[in-house]
Amino acid sequence: MDSFRLANVREARTPWRRTECKACEKNNRDVQRRIRCDPSTPPKPPNGTPCKLCGDTTRKFVFDHCHDSEQFRGYICQRCNHGLGSFPTIEALEQAIEYLSPYETTN
């Protein structure tokens, strides 16, 4: 368990361990650093820019990249980034859409 660090927790929450081991976490930081230093990587968009996925303009933008190819994909809001991170493949995301589709309502 020592190879998984404790996450930053707020006062009222129970401590939990990160899902990435320390070595993978370091590798991910190194990948992000390499991509950010690449002159072709655009700067973070200004506050008020809509997220490319949900359109929200109030959330913090984060750096989105593919962990396998190490390719920068863009900046999206933190909530969308966490949501995408829950699905390891496009196929898994498609399965989630298929699962939810029968319950979709239009207003």
Side-chain angles (χ1 to χ4, degrees):
M1 279 309 251
D2 288 340
S3 61
F4 293 84
R5 73 177 179 85
L6 282 173
N8 294 332
V9 294
R10 300 184 201 275
E11 295 171 18
R13 296 175 65 183
T14 6
W16 53 279
R17 298 230 176 241
R18 295 192 53 96
T19 56
E20 269 183 330
C21 70
K22 291 176 184 176
C24 292
E25 191 176 359
K26 180 187 180 319
N27 182 60
N28 188 35
R29 278 194 313 270
D30 292 345
V31 167
Q32 286 188 31
R33 192 174 296 115
R34 277 196 305 275
I35 296 170
R36 281 191 176 111
C37 290
D38 184 332
S40 67
T41 302
K44 188 183 274 193
N47 290 341
T49 302
C51 172
K52 292 179 181 179
L53 298 182
C54 70
D56 192 291
T57 59
T58 61
R59 291 192 179 89
K60 175 184 170 186
F61 272 95
V62 295
F63 182 89
D64 180 43
H65 69 285
C66 176
H67 288 242
D68 293 331
S69 69
E70 300 183 0
Q71 181 179 3
F72 173 72
R73 293 188 288 219
Y75 293 98
I76 57 177
C77 78
Q78 193 166 29
R79 185 175 78 172
C80 287
N81 189 278
H82 286 174
L84 284 180
S86 299
F87 299 97
T89 63
I90 290 175
E91 291 78 20
L93 184 57
E94 288 171 340
Q95 285 178 321
I97 292 168
E98 187 177 321
Y99 170 78
L100 291 172
S101 292
Y103 305 100
E104 179 68 20
T105 59
T106 55
N107 295 332

